[in-house]
Amino acid sequence: MRKCAFLPLRHVFAVVLICSLFLLTSCGKQNDSPRIYLDNDFYWALTGANSAPEDAEKLKFEHLDNMGYKNLMDLVGIDGKYVWLKAEFELIPELKNDDLSMVIPYLHYADVLYLNGKYIDDYGVMGETPDDPLNQEAGYVAHLFDFPEFYLNQEGKNTILIKVQCLGHATITDGVFIGLRQDGWRTSDIMTFWRSRFYMFFEGMLILCASFFLMLYFLYKPLASLRRFAFLNILTAIFFSIFFITDLPWAGFHGGVPFIWYVKTAKSTCFFAIEFVFSMFICSFIEKKMKSYEVAIQYLSFLICVVCSILAPSYLWLVKKTLILIPISSIGFVYSIVCAVIAARKAEPKIQEKAKVVLYAVSFLLIIMGIDVIIKGAFRNMMSGRLDYLNQGLEEEIKSQTKRLLNAKESLEHDREMSLKDMRMAAIVQNKFFHAPETALKNWDFAVRYEPLSLVSGDLFNFYHDGENLNGVSLFDASGHGVAASLVTMLAENIIQQTYNEALGSEESVAAILKRINYRFIEAKGEIENYLTGILLSTKENDDGSCTVTMTNAGHPYPLFYSVDEGVVEEMLPTADMPYTGPVGLSGFGVDYSDMSFTMKKGDILFLYTDGITEMPNKEKLDFGIDPIKQIIEKNKDCSAEEIAKRLMERLADYIKDTPRTDDVSVIILKRM
């Protein structure tokens, strides 16, 4: 009979264990959404309670080597110090131009997050001091932070700052990532369910179980064990509610019961009450008749812990005194287990079976608690030791690699210095080729702005003049940037100047001159793929003081012309009957050029430019355009050419601010005097 009774109990225990492991294990397909993991990118620094993001910039950050349970507590203790956590990241192509989310699986105690200096969200309530009664932990939910697209730097670094109040077992776990918003929401919901809201299922089961045993107690048989088991379920249900306190509408910052009092009652007092009721239940279940002093010890250990919890001045006090209160509260529980062990060996058969049931249940509980300790403690220490071992090997490897990198760096620095020296020489030569006239020009006021993107430029210009008499002007833009484009400009300028000077005094049109330049440039550059866009113009003085300007365009941005008679600035657009005019230097294309003639009177302004100024973007990726140029010319039409150029460049600098430039800038302003 004893064997038959024992086997079902063992089978039931095995089934419960297997079902529990299955229930707490989830399987799913591997996530293939694009993500940026930040586990190795966090740095930390101590700060104060009132520290702001701008204060964090002045702190000295250290790398956060461990992402795991109690890692922040190991660094700063349990006394509620404040730290900044910092991480930087750059967006990968799959995550650009979209709203993103950041997920932190677990962060304790309370925190607030900023992205690029902008507040995003916070979890828990961070008081001004560790003893502040307003303090509230963030709970067990996964932390989800939404990053709007316009808060993110699509190019370059983004900075995350998290201010954490390290009260108690302060922790930030690994698995922190940034991904698409739907991926972040889905992952956060799954984590929050298993770590927090999953306990609501147990709440229902415990309350249902408590109701059932209370019904048995009142309607069937008033046994103390039934009543105590019902109370044990009710107390356990209240204790588990702390896992989803952030969802409770009557506790914490939602209103109603202050968080500190909820911790004192639901977390501390209920825990001690569970131990007390459980020990009393075990004694009544195995029909242990307790003596008066044994009952007194049970009640005394329980009351001491409850009174200390209720009178605790702060959450920090509870954290510090827990290691003392738990052993005191465990006196009765340990005593009841000892009684169960004795009963399982020496009592009559009926009591022995009951004692075995108790011992199996307690063994299962201790196994689960042991696994938790191993995962959070022993495994953590083992990994820490393993990491120390690996770090020693890595340090040696890093030293070796660092030495190699330093040698390579020295070689690269030498090569870089030689390249810069060559670039500076090329810039000096280029400046000798391209510069504004050093003498005044008769009847002309002019200004030039020539600003290369780097030391050398792909833009080229020239004034063709005989003393103070202006004959013509050229402005060209070579494709590409850097040294290759600058070499092309010097080759092109030699051809342009020689060809133009040969035609001076002849009746050859400007369009014909440009066509000959195109032929010579194609022949001279050979296999070089660079080409030119540009403007070539000639000037002819008239007896009435005006000037006839003849211009031809080789695929270049259209010049702007301000006419005193019209009072507006207009683009010099070609007419419908003009032939296609392509760039200079593209072999195999049948390009042709045409002349455009117009008269400039006193006060008229001609504005020549390369696309480096109109296509200059600001931080919103919007180009500068030609409208601001028109406005500046019209507003400053009575000013000198130099003053117009100055105000234009000031307007451009204010428009782009700190946005990196993307092209060379060249501007020529000709004002008729």
Side-chain angles (χ1 to χ4, degrees):
M1 291 297 292
R2 292 179 62 186
K3 184 177 181 180
C4 292
F6 174 73
L7 285 176
L9 181 61
R10 183 173 59 186
H11 294 164
V12 169
F13 176 75
V15 170
V16 171
L17 179 60
I18 293 171
C19 290
S20 299
L21 294 175
F22 176 77
L23 190 61
L24 297 175
T25 306
S26 62
C27 298
K29 65 180 182 179
Q30 186 177 358
N31 188 288
D32 56 358
S33 299
R35 290 179 176 182
I36 302 172
Y37 283 93
L38 302 177
D39 292 345
N40 296 321
D41 300 319
F42 276 102
Y43 293 79
W44 71 280
L46 272 173
T47 186
N50 299 318
S51 177
E54 51 269 23
D55 300 323
E57 299 177 0
K58 307 171 186 177
L59 300 176
K60 183 178 180 181
F61 284 82
E62 300 179 36
H63 187 259
L64 185 61
D65 297 325
N66 176 32
M67 293 288 286
Y69 186 58
K70 298 183 182 180
N71 56 345
L72 299 181
M73 184 195 76
D74 290 342
L75 293 173
V76 299
I78 66 173
D79 295 336
K81 294 180 181 178
Y82 300 83
V83 301
W84 280 111
L85 298 179
K86 179 180 179 181
E88 294 181 335
F89 67 95
E90 294 185 6
L91 293 178
I92 57 177
E94 296 87 346
L95 296 180
K96 289 185 177 180
N97 304 313
D98 206 342
D99 294 331
L100 306 179
S101 289
M102 176 178 176
V103 176
I104 302 177
Y106 180 66
L107 182 55
H108 188 273
Y109 174 82
D111 57 275
V112 57
L113 184 141
Y114 299 85
L115 172 66
N116 295 327
K118 299 179 179 65
Y119 167 81
I120 298 298
D121 204 351
D122 58 79
Y123 283 79
V125 178
M126 192 181 303
E128 295 183 358
T129 65
D131 296 324
D132 195 328
L134 296 178
N135 287 334
Q136 178 171 334
E137 65 176 294
Y140 296 87
V141 299
H143 291 198
L144 175 69
F145 302 95
D146 288 333
F147 293 169
E149 177 187 347
F150 55 89
Y151 277 16
L152 292 159
N153 297 324
Q154 302 300 317
E155 302 294 338
K157 291 184 178 180
N158 292 273
T159 302
I160 294 170
L161 284 171
I162 310 174
K163 185 179 176 183
V164 183
Q165 184 181 21
C166 299
L167 188 57
H169 297 164
T171 300
I172 179 171
T173 59
D174 56 0
V176 181
F177 74 88
I178 296 170
L180 296 173
R181 181 159 292 183
Q182 55 270 33
D183 179 30
W185 288 359
R186 179 178 62 251
T187 305
S188 172
D189 287 343
I190 293 172
M191 290 180 176
T192 297
F193 174 78
W194 287 108
R195 295 184 177 189
S196 174
R197 292 166 187 156
F198 178 69
Y199 289 94
M200 293 181 182
F201 167 77
F202 288 105
E203 293 282 289
M205 295 297 294
L206 290 167
I207 294 173
L208 182 63
C209 189
S211 302
F212 175 73
F213 279 92
L214 282 175
M215 289 175 58
L216 289 178
Y217 176 77
F218 287 111
L219 300 178
Y220 176 64
K221 195 174 184 179
L223 293 175
S225 59
L226 296 177
R227 183 184 72 249
R228 287 168 179 169
F229 190 72
F231 287 161
L232 181 62
N233 280 274
I234 293 172
L235 291 170
T236 306
I238 297 174
F239 177 76
F240 273 132
S241 66
I242 200 70
F243 287 97
F244 47 86
I245 185 175
T246 53
D247 293 318
L248 296 178
W250 60 79
F253 53 76
H254 295 300
V257 181
F259 177 75
I260 181 62
W261 279 102
Y262 200 83
V263 171
K264 289 180 179 182
T265 54
K267 192 172 185 179
S268 297
T269 301
C270 276
F271 175 77
F272 300 133
I274 288 170
E275 282 192 315
F276 171 71
V277 175
F278 193 22
S279 63
M280 297 298 287
F281 164 74
I282 291 173
C283 291
S284 61
F285 185 73
I286 63 176
E287 301 180 19
K288 165 68 176 176
K289 293 182 179 180
M290 300 176 63
K291 297 178 181 179
S292 299
Y293 74 89
E294 294 174 333
V295 175
I297 292 175
Q298 293 268 19
Y299 275 93
L300 185 61
S301 63
F302 167 64
L303 290 174
I304 289 174
C305 295
V306 170
V307 171
C308 290
S309 298
I310 296 299
L311 298 180
S314 66
Y315 180 90
L316 178 59
W317 190 93
L318 279 175
V319 171
K320 289 183 175 181
K321 305 303 180 183
T322 297
L323 294 178
I324 300 175
L325 294 178
I326 288 180
I328 295 175
S329 68
S330 301
I331 293 174
F333 177 71
V334 172
Y335 173 76
S336 64
I337 297 300
V338 171
C339 292
V341 172
I342 295 173
R345 297 179 60 187
K346 298 181 179 181
E348 59 185 75
K350 180 181 177 181
I351 302 301
Q352 282 185 348
E353 292 300 327
K354 288 185 175 182
K356 288 179 180 179
V357 171
V358 169
L359 293 176
Y360 278 121
V362 172
S363 298
F364 177 74
L365 177 64
L366 293 177
I367 288 172
I368 298 299
M369 294 176 63
I371 292 174
D372 182 67
V373 170
I374 291 173
I375 292 175
K376 292 182 177 178
F379 180 74
R380 174 168 164 260
N381 294 332
M382 180 183 70
M383 288 302 297
S384 177
R386 177 62 178 167
L387 287 174
D388 290 340
Y389 171 77
L390 292 175
N391 284 338
Q392 292 178 359
L394 284 174
E395 286 178 2
E396 296 298 326
E397 182 65 22
I398 288 172
K399 289 179 181 178
S400 175
Q401 294 295 338
T402 301
K403 185 176 181 181
R404 295 178 185 176
L405 287 174
L406 288 174
N407 293 335
K409 180 183 177 183
E410 291 177 359
S411 177
L412 289 173
E413 287 290 343
H414 177 266
D415 294 343
R416 178 176 175 272
E417 187 60 35
M418 294 299 297
S419 298
L420 285 175
K421 185 177 180 180
D422 293 341
M423 289 275 283
R424 294 189 189 100
M425 183 60 66
I428 293 172
V429 173
Q430 198 174 48
N431 288 332
K432 294 292 183 180
F433 273 78
F434 316 131
H435 58 83
E438 297 176 354
T439 59
L441 299 176
K442 185 178 179 181
N443 298 326
W444 292 101
D445 180 23
F446 63 89
V448 175
R449 289 295 183 274
Y450 180 68
E451 298 183 1
L453 179 63
S454 57
L455 289 175
V456 292
S457 173
D459 294 350
L460 62 146
F461 71 94
N462 209 341
F463 284 71
Y464 308 108
H465 61 99
D466 181 14
E468 63 178 10
N469 298 315
L470 179 65
N471 297 319
V473 176
S474 65
L475 175 62
F476 286 83
D477 182 3
S479 61
H481 303 289
V483 176
S486 70
L487 293 175
V488 169
T489 62
M490 287 183 277
L491 171 64
E493 172 56 23
N494 183 54
I495 294 172
I496 294 169
Q497 185 173 10
Q498 180 181 353
T499 306
Y500 191 92
N501 289 333
E502 287 176 357
L504 284 176
S506 68
E507 298 298 325
E508 188 175 12
S509 67
V510 180
I513 297 173
L514 185 59
K515 190 170 184 179
R516 190 142 45 93
I517 290 171
N518 180 42
Y519 174 79
R520 288 181 174 181
F521 182 65
I522 291 173
E523 185 178 24
K525 74 186 183 73
E527 299 298 325
I528 299 175
E529 296 181 355
N530 297 72
Y531 59 88
L532 307 171
T533 66
I535 298 288
L536 184 66
L537 62 85
S538 64
T539 60
K540 182 180 180 181
E541 296 290 332
N542 300 323
D543 295 336
D544 60 358
S546 64
C547 176
T548 299
V549 179
T550 303
M551 179 183 69
T552 185
N553 189 323
H556 199 73
Y558 302 116
L560 301 178
F561 179 62
Y562 171 78
S563 171
V564 173
D565 295 340
E566 299 294 334
V568 294
V569 177
E570 295 182 346
E571 288 185 84
M572 304 294 288
L573 301 175
T575 59
D577 59 340
M578 289 184 176
Y580 169 75
T581 58
V584 172
L586 292 178
S587 59
F589 290 86
V591 297
D592 205 351
Y593 305 101
S594 57
D595 291 327
M596 176 185 291
S597 296
F598 56 95
T599 301
M600 291 187 66
K601 301 177 181 178
K602 183 178 180 180
D604 289 351
I605 301 172
L606 182 62
F607 184 87
L608 308 176
Y609 60 96
T610 58
D611 59 9
I613 186 170
T614 55
E615 296 180 3
M616 188 75 70
N618 62 5
K619 63 180 181 180
E620 282 80 26
K621 309 295 184 184
L622 301 176
D623 292 343
F624 187 63
I626 63 171
D627 290 337
I629 302 175
K630 290 181 177 180
Q631 295 169 6
I632 290 172
I633 295 174
E634 291 177 357
K635 185 177 180 180
N636 301 278
K637 59 184 182 295
D638 297 326
C639 298
S640 66
E642 182 61 32
E643 187 66 24
I644 295 173
K646 179 182 177 182
R647 294 180 182 179
L648 172 63
M649 301 311 291
E650 289 174 351
R651 176 77 174 273
L652 177 64
D654 183 65
Y655 181 79
I656 65 174
K657 296 187 182 301
D658 297 328
T659 305
R661 288 173 46 185
T662 58
D663 201 355
D664 307 310
V665 172
S666 295
V667 169
I668 297 176
I669 300 175
L670 297 173
K671 184 174 183 180
R672 186 66 181 175
M673 303 298 291

